[in-house]
Amino acid sequence: MKEIIDVASTHGIESFVIGMPHRGRLNVLANVCRKPLEQIFTQFNPNFEPSDEGSGDVKYHLGMSHKRINRVTNKEIRLAVVANPSHLEAVDPVVQGKTKAEQFYKYDDNGKKVMSILLHGDAAFAGQGVVDETFHLSDLPNYTTHGTIHIIVNNQIGFTTDPRVVARSSPYCTDVAKVVQCPIFHVNADHPEAVMNVCRTAAEWRNEFGKDVVIDLVGNCINQLYFNGKILIVQLYPMR
Ligand SMILES: Cc1ncc(C[n+]2csc(CCOP(=O)(O)OP(=O)(O)O)c2C)c(N)n1
């Protein structure tokens, strides 16, 4: 994400609107947006009353907006992580609407100042119709935000749902993105240099063509044991 932000900032983007689900969210708030850790931890204070600000929802649903200097370009950038509910992917059109509004008020007709980044889970990306709808609107003149970078945090499982038998019929979770024929990069999440390279290319693509691009960040959290050619056990790494 930082590589995308650095490259985009080099090309003049000054505001990033980010939408993402819960997993990894505190990490993004802390390490990408640099929301002060004191603020994050304070929100977990058990002494909060229901009427206190920010107390009514789980903390990993909350968003933030923050201005900071990008260390690579020395330009000021704004990062907004949009608040989201438990309903996976519901945040996608909200992010696009916010991005479009910011572009409108900045007279940013080509998306050269404001851009959106959406993070998805692999199961949610294939399974929620709102993703399909967001893609379908993405290249229409009145709706386009001139290219969203989609990052799929692909742990090859949907909570406990095995994708091969009960989640989807298509081999890749990213196949829904084929509807707009945007580039889709499948990259090994365990290969940081490859991930950086793909992120750089995605940011360059978005800057050059103003169209969506998908990064399928494939992690390997499933350990399969085969017996007589059949999957005997699917063991999850202890990440959940
Ligand atoms: C709209 C909606 N449907 C169902 C759920 C229930 N649910 C919570 S987590 C989850 C699995 C998501 O899997 P994936 O998108 O691969 O992300 P992961 O949890 O693996 O990071 C589901 C179905 C939900 N939160 N929102």
Side-chain angles (χ1 to χ4, degrees), residues 65-69 76-79:
S65 174
H66 186 48
K67 270 190 184 165
R68 58 179 301 218
I69 300 289
E76 190 179 72
I77 56 169
R78 218 185 111 225
L79 295 158

Side-chain angles (χ1 to χ4, degrees), residues 94-110:
V94 179
V95 166
Q96 302 298 38
K98 185 172 158 60
T99 308
K100 189 77 180 165
E102 267 193 50
Q103 289 175 346
F104 177 83
Y105 284 111
K106 285 182 186 248
Y107 302 101
D108 181 16
D109 294 337
N110 301 313

Side-chain angles (χ1 to χ4, degrees), residues 22-23 86-88 120-125 128 153 155 157-159 240:
H22 44 278
R23 225 181 290 288
S86 285
H87 295 80
L88 295 166
H120 315 265
D122 49 308
F125 195 66
Q128 293 296 310
V153 183
N155 58 358
I157 196 154
F159 197 48
R240 56 189 74 237

Side-chain angles (χ1 to χ4, degrees), residues 3 34 72 79 114 118 126 131 147 197 204 225:
E3 185 69 13
R34 299 280 182 221
V72 172
L79 295 158
V114 187
L118 285 176
V131 176
N197 201 15
E204 294 287 356
L225 289 181

